Amino acid sequence: MADLTHWTLNRHIAASLLAITAAMAAAPAAQAADETCFKTPTPVMSLGFGSRYEADSKNRSDIDEESDAAVTKALKPIDQFIQNLAKVVSKAQTEKDIATRRAYHRCVVDSVYAWAKADALNDMRTFNAKLSVPARIGGLAILFAESRDQVPGLHDRERIVEKWLQKRAQEIVYFFENEATKGAARNNLRAWASMAVGEVGVLNRDRGLVEWSILSNNTMITNAATDGSLPLEMNRQRYALHYQLHAMTPLVASVARLCEAGYGKGGADLDKLRTMAHFSVKAVKDPKIVQKINGKSQTVKPGLKNNLTSLAWLEPYVALTNDLDMEKEFASLRPLSNSKLGGNQTNLYDDQRISCTMTVQN
């Protein structure tokens, strides 16, 4: 009887130790699962704010500090959401463990799905809100695209996201065709709209949206001066170079991604785009180049190292053009990252060479 009691006691001790060991092993696993995602923020449904600029600023170069702060505050929840998604996508790009990588991608799909299911960003109440939303839709679309089809069993959720993005893209096209001012319809804001609409068009294989993006890109490049500067942005006084870079960011990304998707050159004269890229980089190194054009000292701090986020488009640019001389300019400054372009651009393009051969037939 004593032996039986001793055996029973040992069995219970062994079982307890096994349970403790299993719990200890499960804790890091659970923690690792939590670390692959973040708490999805409450979907932003509507936006309504005025301009960042003084009411009498004809060239939109005189910032109203109070209005600027209000716009930034209104957009912050969306921008923070995009930044968090970009961090997760960037982690997935370098993760070697398949299960963890899929967890990262699932995080992105589930998070964007939550906004899509709520029909987020469906109520743009002011003109300036309508100008601001395309850059955010573009960022969400690119980040979603990087995670789509990476995790089995999410097709239903992904289709809901695609339909949601389709609605937002159609609203963007309507606004720029019918409501946008002449300047907004042709400047950096059109470039951000083009990137968003083109990306959604690729996701949904909607040739109408893709063609609108291609035409927009072509117009932007055609309207650039022979030296590579963008006249509408050069009119922005002290902010001219800032907005030149702000236009190049979505423009180059859009052309590269349309090419990669098989839609030819994405509306680009690649030689002209090369001129625009070289002008932009030279001006960042020496902003007086722009000052000679418009007579105003620039807000951009000189030097590539001081403007890495604004130059993240150089990665898709090199992948698109194989401009090795340009690559030497920023190779030591890698990685380059911009959340609205999909996060870490160095990882995303990773020595890639994009073909602009037309392969899509739809």
Side-chain angles (χ1 to χ4, degrees):
M1 188 65 157
D3 288 342
L4 180 60
T5 302
H6 181 71
W7 177 83
T8 302
L9 180 62
N10 285 344
R11 186 179 65 174
H12 284 308
I13 292 173
S16 297
L17 289 173
L18 185 61
I20 292 171
T21 301
M24 291 176 66
Q31 183 179 359
D34 291 341
E35 290 175 352
T36 59
C37 205
F38 57 93
K39 183 179 180 180
T40 302
T42 301
V44 174
M45 306 305 294
S46 64
L47 290 172
F49 45 77
S51 173
R52 294 181 184 271
Y53 305 93
E54 298 282 359
D56 59 354
S57 181
K58 294 181 180 180
N59 51 26
R60 290 170 63 86
S61 61
D62 301 306
I63 288 182
D64 181 319
E65 293 185 5
E66 186 174 338
S67 295
D68 183 48
V71 173
T72 299
K73 182 179 180 180
L75 293 171
K76 186 176 180 179
I78 311 170
D79 291 341
Q80 186 63 60
F81 182 38
I82 292 172
Q83 289 165 19
N84 287 339
L85 289 170
K87 290 176 183 177
V88 176
V89 167
S90 295
K91 288 179 180 178
Q93 291 168 349
T94 57
E95 179 58 56
K96 295 181 180 180
D97 179 72
I98 295 176
T100 305
R101 185 166 64 248
R102 283 183 173 175
Y104 285 135
H105 286 306
R106 170 137 204 169
C107 169
V108 173
V109 173
D110 285 350
S111 297
V112 180
Y113 165 75
W115 280 46
K117 186 179 179 182
D119 197 26
L121 302 174
N122 67 31
D123 182 21
M124 298 298 103
R125 297 179 178 180
T126 62
F127 181 82
N128 287 285
K130 293 177 182 180
L131 289 175
S132 299
V133 77
R136 280 77 195 174
I137 294 299
L140 289 168
I142 289 176
L143 289 161
F144 169 73
E146 294 305 314
S147 291
R148 186 180 70 158
D149 297 331
Q150 299 300 312
V151 184
L154 297 184
H155 177 73
D156 289 345
R157 291 191 168 207
E158 290 172 344
R159 190 68 193 114
I160 288 172
V161 172
E162 291 158 10
K163 289 181 178 179
W164 171 64
L165 291 171
Q166 181 87 355
K167 286 194 294 183
R168 300 291 86 88
Q170 290 169 341
E171 290 163 357
I172 290 170
V173 171
Y174 180 87
F175 170 75
F176 275 89
E177 290 297 323
N178 298 282
E179 300 176 6
T181 60
K182 186 176 180 180
R186 295 181 295 129
N187 68 6
N188 69 85
L189 295 165
R190 180 59 173 260
W192 284 104
S194 178
M195 186 188 77
V197 170
E199 188 67 26
V200 175
V202 170
L203 282 169
N204 287 287
R205 296 183 70 84
D206 185 318
R207 193 58 183 252
L209 293 181
V210 170
E211 291 292 347
W212 189 86
S213 181
I214 288 173
L215 178 62
S216 298
N217 292 340
N218 179 266
T219 299
M220 289 287 297
I221 295 170
T222 299
N223 288 340
T226 55
D227 66 357
S229 64
L230 291 163
L232 288 176
E233 312 308 339
M234 292 299 103
N235 288 336
R236 302 294 290 275
Q237 304 295 308
R238 297 188 307 120
Y239 296 96
L241 179 53
H242 167 83
Y243 283 111
Q244 170 88 16
L245 299 176
H246 199 54
M248 291 295 290
T249 296
L251 176 61
V252 173
S254 178
V255 172
R257 293 183 72 85
L258 287 171
C259 280
E260 187 177 13
Y263 290 96
K265 292 183 178 181
D269 173 343
L270 294 181
D271 288 335
K272 185 74 171 289
L273 189 65
R274 183 187 184 101
T275 300
M276 296 165 70
H278 280 261
F279 172 87
S280 300
V281 169
K282 288 177 181 176
V284 169
K285 293 164 69 175
D286 180 13
K288 290 182 180 178
I289 291 174
V290 174
Q291 185 175 347
K292 290 178 181 178
I293 295 175
N294 68 14
K296 300 292 183 179
S297 61
Q298 297 299 296
T299 60
V300 171
K301 190 174 181 180
L304 303 188
K305 192 173 182 178
N306 294 319
N307 298 280
L308 296 183
T309 299
S310 298
L311 292 169
W313 54 268
L314 286 170
E315 293 287 12
Y317 167 77
V318 169
L320 180 69
T321 63
N322 198 30
D323 188 341
L324 300 182
D325 289 335
M326 181 67 86
E327 186 174 24
K328 292 177 183 177
E329 292 274 7
F330 67 89
S332 64
L333 300 175
R334 283 168 163 155
L336 302 185
S337 184
N338 186 311
S339 59
K340 291 187 179 69
L341 298 187
N344 189 320
Q345 299 298 284
T346 300
N347 284 342
L348 189 60
Y349 290 94
D350 192 25
D351 296 325
Q352 182 180 352
R353 293 296 177 259
I354 296 172
S355 169
C356 286
T357 302
M358 179 74 75
T359 59
V360 176
Q361 300 301 317
N362 70 313

